[in-house]
Amino acid sequence: MRSRRAPLALLLPALLGLLFLVLPLAGLLYRAPWTTLPQRLTEPGILDALRLSLLTATIATALCLVLGVPLAWLLARVRFPGRRVVRALVTVPLVLPPVVGGVALLLVFGRRGLIGEWLDGSFGITLPFSTAGVVLAEAFVAMPFLILAVEGALRGADARYEEAAATLGSGRWTTFTRVTLPLVAPGVAAGAVLCWARALGEFGATITFAGNFPGRTQTMPLAVYLALETDLQAAIVLSLLLLFVSVVVLASLRDKWISSP
């Protein structure tokens, strides 16, 4: 296809849009304390926030895989009344303000919530303001990314392989584990990476539902928010870590996972 020169009326807004997106990142890199970066990265507060963020994001992603993959399969393969409503409900956390999601979690899993009161009274389990609460908050906001990616992969997969397996006598579970999952494995992997990255960067629902307690619920985004009030250099270092993770995630979602026309 022969390249064409872009009209000036489109080129200028495009360049301004690019600058708008790139300049804040460039400013972050420019103001980074490069000379003291190694020492700051080993500070206890930063290491604790990084360790907790990696742990909770990984557990939240595992939870999303266990619950989200079957839900994506249900939406992609089964016709049932209200499927559009279910799909809309699944995508609500994508557009819902995270703080509202945190409030909703409190109303359900809080000590006086719909489920939380029963958990506290029957088993002594208290989810808010705990590490488990961080996992729930991250899973709530990140699961739609996984479901949408897996559902898209399922819709794009050739269903004839599943039909052939059923014809040969394979049960539904065997077909799902031996045929369907291998077919959509790249989509599951891409969705899991996006889910993990979203969980790692979650802020609003976490601080509302789990609080901001160092070593227990203070993840990296929360540590950035707290550091802005007392130590700007520490906030920049934490922001650089999150930026690095974001770049790695984008680089990992290469063509073998997501192809573009």
Side-chain angles (χ1 to χ4, degrees):
M1 182 178 178
R2 189 178 62 180
S3 61
R4 295 182 297 176
R5 294 182 60 182
L8 190 62
L10 295 178
L11 184 61
L12 287 179
L15 291 176
L16 289 175
L18 179 62
L19 287 175
F20 176 73
L21 295 175
V22 171
L23 280 179
L25 304 180
L28 184 64
L29 295 173
Y30 177 75
R31 293 292 303 274
W34 297 108
T35 56
T36 60
L37 186 62
Q39 293 82 2
R40 287 187 171 273
L41 287 175
T42 58
E43 292 179 0
I46 291 180
L47 289 178
D48 288 343
L50 176 60
R51 189 181 303 110
L52 182 64
S53 293
L54 295 176
L55 175 64
T56 55
T58 302
I59 297 175
T61 302
L63 178 62
C64 291
L65 283 168
V66 171
L67 302 178
V69 172
L71 181 53
W73 178 88
L74 186 70
L75 292 172
R77 288 289 190 264
V78 181
R79 295 184 179 274
F80 58 91
R83 184 170 63 167
R84 291 185 178 180
V85 176
V86 173
R87 184 178 290 111
L89 292 175
V90 165
T91 57
V92 164
L94 290 175
V95 297
L96 189 71
V99 174
V100 177
V103 173
L105 288 172
L106 275 175
L107 294 177
V108 175
F109 296 105
R111 296 187 64 181
R112 296 294 179 264
L114 297 176
I115 299 177
E117 186 174 7
W118 172 73
L119 290 175
D120 184 49
S122 302
F123 305 101
I125 298 176
T126 303
L127 295 175
F129 309 107
S130 66
T131 303
V134 176
V135 173
L136 283 182
E138 292 178 346
F140 176 76
V141 299
M143 190 181 295
F145 289 88
L146 174 71
I147 293 174
L148 292 177
V150 176
E151 184 187 358
L154 284 166
R155 290 184 177 278
D158 193 343
R160 290 178 297 178
Y161 293 103
E162 297 170 288
E163 295 170 358
T167 302
L168 293 174
S170 296
R172 292 184 177 180
W173 177 251
T174 302
T175 301
F176 176 74
T177 55
R178 300 292 182 86
V179 179
T180 306
L181 277 183
L183 278 175
V184 300
V188 174
V193 171
L194 289 172
C195 178
W196 184 84
R198 180 64 185 89
L200 190 71
E202 164 51 29
F203 174 81
T206 302
I207 197 171
T208 306
F209 181 63
N212 188 11
F213 302 101
R216 188 172 65 180
T217 66
Q218 188 181 91
T219 57
M220 284 198 292
L222 273 63
V224 171
Y225 177 76
L226 184 65
L228 278 174
E229 301 178 355
T230 56
D231 188 353
L232 178 61
Q233 298 300 317
I236 294 175
V237 170
L238 286 165
S239 300
L240 281 175
L241 283 175
L242 289 173
L243 176 61
F244 173 76
V245 170
S246 301
V247 172
V248 170
V249 167
L250 291 176
S252 66
L253 293 177
R254 50 192 180 272
D255 291 341
K256 73 172 186 178
W257 285 1
I258 297 179
S259 59
S260 58

